[in-house]
Amino acid sequence: MFIQQVINGLAMGCIYGLVALGFVLIYKATEIINFGQGDLMMIGAFLAFTCVNFLHLPFLLSLLIALVLMGFLGKIIDRFVLRPLVGEPAFAMVMATIAIGILLRSLGGMIWGYDTYKFSAGITDVPVRIGSWAVSSVNLWIMAITVLLIIVLYFFFNKTKAGVSMEAASQNQLAAYLMGIGVKKVFSNIWGISAMVAAVAGILLTPIQFLNYNMGFIGLKAFPAAVLGGFGSIPGAIVGGIIIGISESLAGIYLPRGFKEVFAWVILILVLMIRPEGLFGIHQKKRV
Amino acid sequence: MRFVKRMNYLQDIQLFKYHSTIGWYLILITAFLAAPLVMGTYWVSLLILIGINIIVALGLNLVTGYTGQVSLGHAAFFAVGAYTSAVLTGKFGVSFWLALPASGVVGALVGIVVGLPALRLKGLYLAIATMGFGFIIEEIIVQWEPITNGVNGLSIKRPSLAAFSLASDKHFYYLVFPIVLLSVLVLKNLLRTSSGRAFLAIRDSETAAESMGINLAVYKTAAFCISAFYTGIAGALFAHFMRFIGPENFTILESISFLVMILVGGLGSVHGSVFGAVFITFLPEGISLSKDYLPTFIGQQAGLQAAVYGLVLLLFIRFEPLGLYGRWLKIKFYFENFPFYKKDTFRKVRKFHRTQKQ
């Protein structure tokens, strides 16, 4: 029972981690916190769902289409919503991303309706025996894809030129600009990548949770994950997500009713009180 | 153009810049006092909702607009106020006239609890922390069934003043209106004091404020406390006005709509709070009224209201960050300086530098 809950929590944690990764990418590069990340996740999942169930395309092709469309959506959001706001106070940016979230959610509701759908995302749920425990194959898939995605992102950010220029832009925008890096293009790409990561998270979430226009609210729970990992740290986001996922799932069986829903937020407030820079964050001081 | 001859420094902080303004406000107050006599019940109930929203907007503006601390958890203070009054009057038989200030005080205490950890947090972290706090309060309401009756909600009676019952909307209006007026006056006066200026200083630069000898911990907590007091009072009025409350009244969406209210109205201005409250109360009504005139394809969408909401928010952030009040000031400026208005008078100067990361 304990191990089972840990594994369930691990899978859920990977998804929180992936959504948190989306926040972190955008935050690192642009210092914006995207409150609409969960809704991007919902749109991504619905796009794949539409391709598979209505257009009858094979799953992998649908995934590809969803990723490409989401990449464009991310770029569109950056171009038409956030770029005109560069230089505005952070509060305006936060409200803009909240507005994006609201718009995407109502758009999702208008296009796909307010019903709950079942979509197994090409993954069949069979129990897999490892030693003496039975593990759902869905959970194994989620973990495997998360690990794969992290490896891909790691190589992208450390080995490719585009990735390194993104890293540069996130460390010092002005210096990067002077070195001939197109900061606008970098921001646009970051939004694209972040939206794609959100889509992957959404598609991976569908075998565990039903597909619904409101599912973006799950994405809000990625905030504790990102904060726990230290906002701005890519491994931190995943580790934070996994810790949140496991502790939430254990809280569901060992603590009284109601704790499961808010346990992530309790952790968040504790982290912010004890160690606001998180596990992997660097304590930043602002120069005056 | 009018010029005021400045004789002493106190003139800079007086409540009304011109004497004629007092007259105009008195006329406005008389008009609002007379409003229920000529209006239908529907409009009066809208006015009451506007009043309740104004109190929340004033409180939130104090903490977000004036002190610069973004709060995404004000629905929690609203809920605390509403449930305090509902439980005190319903379960313990306490008079409404005691329960109303009590809900403000309980709200303020909760505000201090939130404000204290908030001291260490800057900007966006604070927004996330207050959001988490909002979720926790919402769950407490759902789970604490003996007191809050969980998801089933509580029904509440309208109060009465001695033999005079406030059960009808028109009578309840005369309870809400003086409270709104008092809230506005108290906030306006608070902002004239040195504490009020300390809030503004914290918003503009925490470091500078601290170097001027402003105790950040005290003032930030005070801002949260006063703001939560306002919101708690508004929550109590809301509970007694709606006569039924449940956890679904106090979700994150409510917190967001409070923020939208001050953003659309105007950050850091009392007029803005009022404009925002009027706007946010009329928006859903306006949409449901205009539904019949829109093409069926758009008009019949269930998500129309949320979409309009998001769109309005985006457009305001993009084109009028100062909100309706900013627009009002610009129009006024145009006419006051009539032939001399220059196009670039209000051009935004944006800062493109960022905090240096280490």
Side-chain angles (χ1 to χ4, degrees):
Chain A
M1 182 68 177
F2 177 77
I3 297 291
Q4 194 60 45
Q5 285 301 319
V6 168
I7 290 172
N8 285 344
L10 200 64
M12 197 63 207
C14 284
I15 288 166
Y16 290 152
L18 284 180
V19 181
L21 193 65
F23 291 137
V24 166
L25 287 176
I26 291 177
Y27 180 72
K28 250 172 89 87
T30 62
E31 294 197 351
I32 295 168
I33 295 185
N34 180 16
F35 276 81
Q37 195 73 17
D39 300 296
L40 281 176
M41 176 178 96
M42 176 270 294
I43 297 281
F46 264 117
L47 283 176
F49 170 72
T50 311
C51 288
V52 170
N53 279 35
F54 294 110
L55 305 177
H56 304 292
L57 298 174
F59 175 70
L60 281 179
L61 184 65
S62 312
L63 179 70
L64 199 70
I65 293 175
L67 285 184
V68 170
L69 288 177
M70 286 305 285
F72 275 113
L73 181 62
K75 278 167 173 280
I76 288 171
I77 290 174
D78 174 61
R79 177 64 191 86
F80 291 103
V81 180
L82 290 149
R83 194 175 298 166
L85 293 178
V86 168
E88 295 281 350
F91 175 65
M93 300 279 199
V94 169
M95 292 309 287
T97 59
I98 288 178
I100 293 168
I102 296 174
L103 273 180
L104 288 179
R105 200 178 314 133
S106 55
L107 205 67
M110 284 181 185
I111 298 175
W112 290 288
Y114 302 90
D115 300 330
T116 307
Y117 299 96
K118 184 149 177 54
F119 173 48
S120 56
I123 305 169
T124 41
D125 191 359
V126 284
V128 177
R129 294 214 153 264
I130 305 175
S132 57
W133 327 314
V135 183
S136 157
S137 64
V138 169
N139 289 347
L140 290 179
W141 270 109
I142 289 174
M143 288 176 226
I145 293 174
T146 306
V147 170
L148 189 74
L149 199 66
I150 292 167
I151 293 172
V152 168
L153 283 176
Y154 177 82
F155 275 98
F156 178 72
F157 277 101
N158 287 293
K159 304 290 173 196
T160 66
K161 202 176 168 193
V164 174
S165 64
M166 282 180 191
E167 187 74 38
S170 80
Q171 279 184 12
N172 191 329
Q173 210 177 334
L174 188 65
Y177 193 70
L178 295 175
M179 299 302 286
I181 293 168
V183 175
K184 282 182 190 168
K185 203 176 147 194
V186 166
F187 281 10
S188 166
N189 287 340
I190 279 279
W191 271 91
I193 293 175
S194 178
M196 284 186 197
V197 173
V200 173
I203 293 166
L204 284 179
L205 184 61
T206 47
I208 317 183
Q209 299 240 346
F210 290 107
L211 201 55
N212 182 278
Y213 82 107
N214 248 339
M215 109 184 175
F217 283 113
I218 298 163
L220 290 179
K221 276 198 186 152
F223 276 116
V227 171
L228 178 60
F231 239 104
S233 155
I234 290 177
I238 300 289
V239 174
I242 289 172
I243 294 175
I244 296 282
I246 293 177
S247 48
E248 191 183 71
S249 124
L250 290 181
I253 45 173
Y254 293 112
L255 287 175
R257 193 163 52 96
F259 268 90
K260 187 175 189 287
E261 282 73 23
V262 292
F263 204 67
W265 299 103
V266 174
I267 294 179
L268 169 91
I269 288 175
L270 288 179
V271 170
L272 286 177
M273 283 171 85
I274 298 163
R275 195 181 150 84
E277 65 271 23
L279 294 177
F280 297 85
I282 307 153
H283 191 66
Q284 285 185 3
K285 284 203 176 99
K286 191 180 165 188
R287 257 189 254 156
V288 184
Chain B
M1 262 205 237
R2 279 186 293 184
F3 293 102
V4 179
K5 192 174 176 192
R6 290 187 192 212
M7 304 298 281
N8 60 39
Y9 287 116
L10 283 177
Q11 270 180 299
D12 281 340
I13 54 166
Q14 63 195 4
L15 270 184
F16 303 104
K17 204 169 159 199
Y18 310 116
H19 285 293
S20 61
T21 326
I22 304 175
W24 287 115
Y25 279 119
L26 283 178
I27 293 173
L28 191 69
I29 290 170
T30 325
F32 274 112
L33 278 176
L37 305 177
V38 287
M39 280 178 169
T41 321
Y42 169 73
W43 291 99
V44 173
S45 67
L46 273 186
L47 278 182
I48 295 173
L49 271 182
I50 289 175
I52 292 168
N53 278 335
I54 288 174
I55 303 176
V56 178
L58 290 171
L60 187 58
N61 232 332
L62 178 69
V63 89
T64 303
Y66 287 106
T67 319
Q69 314 294 311
V70 181
S71 167
L72 262 174
H74 256 61
F77 302 132
F78 199 59
V80 167
Y83 272 95
T84 306
S85 186
V87 170
L88 280 180
T89 54
K91 285 219 161 56
F92 299 104
V94 178
S95 150
F96 168 77
W97 305 100
L98 282 176
L100 181 69
S103 47
V105 171
V106 174
L109 290 178
V110 178
I112 293 176
V113 174
V114 183
L116 282 178
L119 296 177
R120 298 186 57 180
L121 306 176
K122 293 248 163 64
L124 302 171
Y125 278 92
L126 183 64
I128 299 173
T130 47
M131 183 170 80
F133 170 75
F135 281 121
I136 292 174
I137 291 279
E138 199 189 323
E139 192 64 29
I140 289 175
I141 292 172
V142 172
Q143 298 296 340
W144 200 9
E145 278 173 358
I147 294 290
T148 63
N149 205 16
V151 286
N152 298 322
L154 283 174
S155 354
I156 303 125
K157 285 198 196 74
R158 289 269 173 92
S160 60
L161 181 60
F164 189 66
S165 164
L166 297 175
S168 83
D169 282 357
K170 292 198 175 183
H171 293 151
F172 198 76
Y173 175 83
Y174 286 107
L175 167 70
V176 175
F177 184 66
I179 297 177
V180 172
L181 209 58
L182 194 68
S183 314
V184 172
L185 280 176
V186 168
L187 192 71
K188 266 279 186 196
N189 276 301
L190 176 71
L191 293 168
R192 296 165 64 203
T193 61
S194 63
S195 315
R197 291 194 294 277
F199 292 143
L200 294 178
I202 292 174
R203 175 189 66 186
D204 292 339
S205 163
E206 286 192 7
T207 323
E210 211 171 4
S211 356
M212 295 297 286
I214 291 167
N215 188 334
L216 286 188
V218 169
Y219 281 100
K220 278 192 189 174
T221 319
F224 260 99
C225 178
I226 300 168
S227 173
F229 182 85
Y230 269 76
T231 316
I233 294 276
L237 289 175
F238 178 77
H240 287 276
F241 172 63
M242 299 302 285
R243 285 185 260 203
F244 180 82
I245 50 168
E248 72 279 358
N249 292 118
F250 309 105
T251 56
I252 174 88
L253 296 174
E254 193 68 16
S255 296
I256 293 175
S257 90
F258 291 156
L259 272 180
V260 174
M261 191 154 73
I262 62 167
L263 201 116
V264 168
L267 274 180
S269 87
V270 172
H271 287 90
S273 313
V274 177
F275 291 160
V278 172
F279 182 83
I280 220 78
T281 318
F282 274 121
L283 187 65
E285 308 298 326
I287 291 171
S288 55
L289 285 181
S290 61
K291 252 183 188 164
D292 302 333
Y293 303 101
L294 291 171
T296 336
F297 169 68
I298 303 172
Q300 298 308 315
Q301 288 287 357
L304 182 67
Q305 192 178 329
V308 172
Y309 217 69
L311 209 61
V312 163
L313 184 56
L314 266 186
L315 293 177
F316 265 95
I317 295 168
R318 174 76 180 81
F319 296 106
E320 193 59 275
L322 295 174
L324 290 170
Y325 184 58
R327 177 51 57 191
W328 162 246
L329 281 185
K330 284 174 194 172
I331 293 171
K332 213 165 96 174
F333 185 86
Y334 178 82
F335 283 109
E336 276 187 350
N337 298 280
F338 174 58
F340 305 117
Y341 182 81
K342 275 177 279 174
K343 212 181 100 210
D344 284 348
T345 312
F346 288 100
R347 201 165 61 99
K348 271 188 291 177
V349 181
R350 288 194 281 176
K351 289 184 234 160
F352 289 94
H353 64 79
R354 309 192 310 170
T355 51
Q356 187 93 37
K357 280 185 186 167
Q358 277 148 352

